[in-house]
Amino acid sequence: MPILPVLINLLIMLSLVGFLVYLKKKKVSFSKRVFAGLGLGILFGLALQNVYADNTGIIKTTNQWFSLIGSGYVKLLQMIVMPLIMVSIISAIVHLKQSKNLGKLSGLIIAVLLLTTALSAGIGIASALGFNLNADQIIQGDAEAARAEYLTTKLDEVSKQSAPQRMLEMLPANPFADMTGARSSSTIAVVIFSTLIGLSVMALKKRSPEQAKIFIDGVDALHGVITQLVKMILRLTPYGILAIMTRTVADTSFDAILQMGKFVLASYVALIVVFVLHLTILSLLKLSPAIYLRKILPVLSFAFTSRSSASTLPLTIDAQKNKLGVEEGIANFSSTLGTAIGQNGCAGVYPAMLAVMIAPTVGLDPTAPGFILTLIGIVAISSFGIAGVGGGATFAALIVLSSMGLPVGLAGLLISVEPLIDMGRTAVNVSGSVTSGLVTGTLLKDLDREVYYRDIEDASELAVANA
């Protein structure tokens, strides 16, 4: 394989990074630089695919080098996820005015996540029926057949665990192992462990205020260090998005997209409607959807390109606290719980659409009211249950389809466009978790509307820039 084209591609990437650095020196806003990185990544990715259409080896090698920037940025975010969750949640709890607020806070967040997921399932069902989607319309190739076999095998693993067993997996038997992300349920386990530590400190306050104060002072100091580290890493967002988007577009099979265009279109119509639902909820709370869009779009852009709610977590928490005025404890709980419970895109829209598509292949009527109500109920319940399983949309689909008595192997027919759809699903997941934080903050009167309506240049953007 020739080396010269790869070197040229790397030089172009470095030039684009240099251009983003130039924009920063010119005091161009953080949000604009994020979108500049996104747009340049799309254009560069399209150029790579057109120029090297007959030589995928060059694209593959080039993307491996681009991963130093893109995947490197994602790894830095992943590095701080667990420490950020633990320190932030402990800090939020020990500074709660009343411990009883914790139960109300977490209960409201989970309720909003599950409710919006149920509504998302209804939207997914309507989209699939409106576009007349049917699994029989999809052509099955070798990749799809292999994916179907994989899903069937995975179903055997999932079906061995009952819902109570999956929920039991969320408990932190070894919190130190969970801090390393050793299990699929590690994130939730760390949340539970951190919550228990925070409650223990609050109990210690009553018996030994001096000891509690020593611990709280240490947590506050550590919280300050972690917060500063988050700000330092967030400064790299424009460059990370540039590299990730370039790699994603360059690797995308547009022939597969055209072949599966109807399903892709139906999926994005459903996801857009769910996002509009989030904006409508904010309007009912007398919060400006336009301001929400301006402040959250950089976060959703990263979620879109990275396809990882967990990797987006530091950005989600930062945006809620510093841009949208959500109280720190609510921001931490809603952002963290939203990565595993009630994911509107992955656990709501996607499995509901698959169920509607597959139902006719086994003689079921997807328009029957009983089928629709049962499906929405199962989707809402399973969106909580998958927190102990991990695997996002795939496991959500496995649980929902098997619970409805539908063949799971047919879900493998969508493997060719799965990455493209997953980008939109992840962005909607993140928007759903932020919406739950805003709803909870409003209902508990812990939302700082002055921060919400503050100009974006005066919000966390400056904090990131000055880190």
Side-chain angles (χ1 to χ4, degrees):
M1 185 192 68
I3 301 298
L4 183 60
V6 175
L7 291 175
I8 292 174
N9 296 338
L10 293 179
L11 287 174
I12 294 175
M13 173 58 74
L14 291 176
S15 299
L16 294 176
V17 170
F19 176 69
L20 292 176
V21 172
Y22 171 78
L23 293 181
K24 183 178 183 298
K25 290 182 178 179
K26 287 295 183 180
K27 307 298 182 183
V28 174
S29 70
F30 181 75
S31 297
K32 290 178 181 177
R33 284 185 282 123
V34 168
F35 286 116
L38 180 67
L40 291 172
I42 292 173
L43 294 176
F44 191 20
L46 288 172
L48 288 174
Q49 188 167 109
N50 288 326
V51 172
Y52 303 109
D54 298 327
N55 196 334
T56 56
I58 292 178
I59 293 180
K60 182 178 180 181
T61 303
T62 298
N63 281 342
Q64 289 176 345
W65 284 99
F66 288 174
S67 292
L68 290 175
I69 301 175
S71 297
Y73 173 63
V74 172
K75 284 183 178 296
L76 288 176
L77 286 172
Q78 291 172 335
M79 172 190 73
I80 59 174
V81 165
M82 291 303 186
L84 178 63
I85 290 172
M86 186 170 184
V87 174
S88 297
I89 288 180
I90 293 175
S91 176
I93 292 175
V94 298
H95 290 102
L96 277 177
K97 294 178 183 177
Q98 295 181 357
S99 59
K100 64 180 181 181
N101 288 341
L102 180 60
K104 187 185 296 185
L105 179 156
S106 55
L108 275 172
I109 290 171
I110 293 173
V112 174
L113 288 171
L114 295 182
L115 176 60
T116 53
T117 299
L119 294 173
S120 299
I123 292 169
I125 291 170
S127 182
L129 292 175
F131 280 87
N132 193 28
L133 297 181
N134 192 306
D136 289 337
Q137 301 167 351
I138 304 173
I139 300 174
Q140 181 169 341
D142 293 339
E144 288 75 15
R147 179 66 171 175
E149 183 178 349
Y150 167 79
L151 291 177
T152 304
T153 303
K154 281 295 179 184
L155 176 62
D156 293 336
E157 298 177 9
V158 174
S159 61
K160 290 178 182 178
Q161 285 188 318
S162 64
Q165 288 175 321
R166 289 196 297 270
M167 295 177 72
L168 188 62
E169 280 294 306
M170 292 188 282
L171 296 179
N174 186 343
F176 299 102
D178 285 322
M179 284 293 290
T180 67
R183 302 185 299 150
S184 58
S185 57
S186 286
T187 301
I188 291 294
V190 171
V191 171
I192 294 173
F193 177 69
S194 303
T195 301
L196 293 175
I197 291 291
L199 292 174
S200 298
V201 175
M202 294 187 76
L204 185 62
K205 271 185 179 181
K206 299 176 182 178
R207 297 201 324 267
S208 180
E210 297 81 8
Q211 288 183 336
K213 186 179 184 304
I214 293 173
F215 183 86
I216 292 172
D217 289 343
V219 169
D220 287 343
L222 187 57
H223 184 260
V225 172
I226 295 296
T227 300
Q228 186 66 23
L229 179 59
V230 169
K231 292 177 181 178
M232 291 169 59
I233 295 174
L234 293 188
R235 294 174 63 186
L236 303 175
T237 301
Y239 318 111
I241 285 183
L242 166 66
I244 294 170
M245 203 66 214
T246 301
R247 185 184 62 195
T248 300
V249 174
D251 276 339
T252 300
S253 171
F254 290 100
D255 290 337
I257 293 173
L258 292 175
Q259 182 181 348
M260 299 284 292
K262 191 176 180 181
F263 179 77
V264 173
L265 178 61
S267 297
Y268 271 90
V269 166
L271 293 171
I272 290 170
V273 173
V274 172
F275 186 62
V276 172
L277 170 66
H278 296 161
L279 299 181
T280 302
I281 292 172
L282 297 183
S283 296
L284 295 175
L285 298 175
K286 302 189 185 309
L287 295 172
S288 168
I291 289 178
Y292 174 77
L293 280 171
R294 274 179 63 206
K295 292 189 174 184
I296 203 64
L297 274 179
V299 179
L300 299 185
S301 298
F302 178 76
F304 185 85
T305 54
S306 68
R307 296 168 51 200
S308 172
S309 299
S311 297
T312 313
L313 186 60
L315 287 79
T316 311
I317 295 173
D318 177 76
Q320 287 203 63
K321 287 195 305 181
N322 298 316
K323 291 185 179 182
L324 299 173
V326 179
E327 190 272 331
E328 184 175 9
I330 296 173
N332 281 295
F333 272 97
S334 62
S335 300
T336 306
L337 292 175
T339 64
I341 295 173
Q343 296 186 341
N344 292 182
C346 289
V349 170
Y350 184 65
M353 290 185 68
L354 288 184
V356 170
M357 291 174 61
I358 294 172
T361 66
V362 293
L364 294 177
D365 179 10
T367 64
F371 177 89
I372 292 175
L373 291 175
T374 301
L375 177 57
I376 291 176
I378 288 176
V379 165
I381 294 171
S382 64
S383 71
F384 188 93
I386 62 169
V389 178
T394 298
F395 285 100
L398 288 177
I399 294 171
V400 170
L401 294 178
S402 60
S403 299
M404 295 291 294
L406 300 172
V408 300
L410 291 176
L413 298 175
L414 306 172
I415 184 176
S416 58
V417 292
E418 179 73 12
L420 178 64
I421 299 169
D422 194 41
M423 297 167 79
R425 289 193 311 237
T426 306
V428 168
N429 291 343
V430 172
S431 178
S433 66
V434 175
T435 300
S436 72
L438 287 167
V439 171
T440 302
T442 301
L443 295 179
L444 294 181
K445 303 187 187 308
D446 270 334
L447 181 68
D448 190 335
R449 289 176 178 262
E450 183 180 341
V451 173
Y452 186 93
Y453 284 99
R454 185 186 301 162
D455 189 274
I456 194 169
E457 297 294 340
D458 298 327
S460 65
E461 183 173 296
L462 290 182
V464 171
N466 296 327

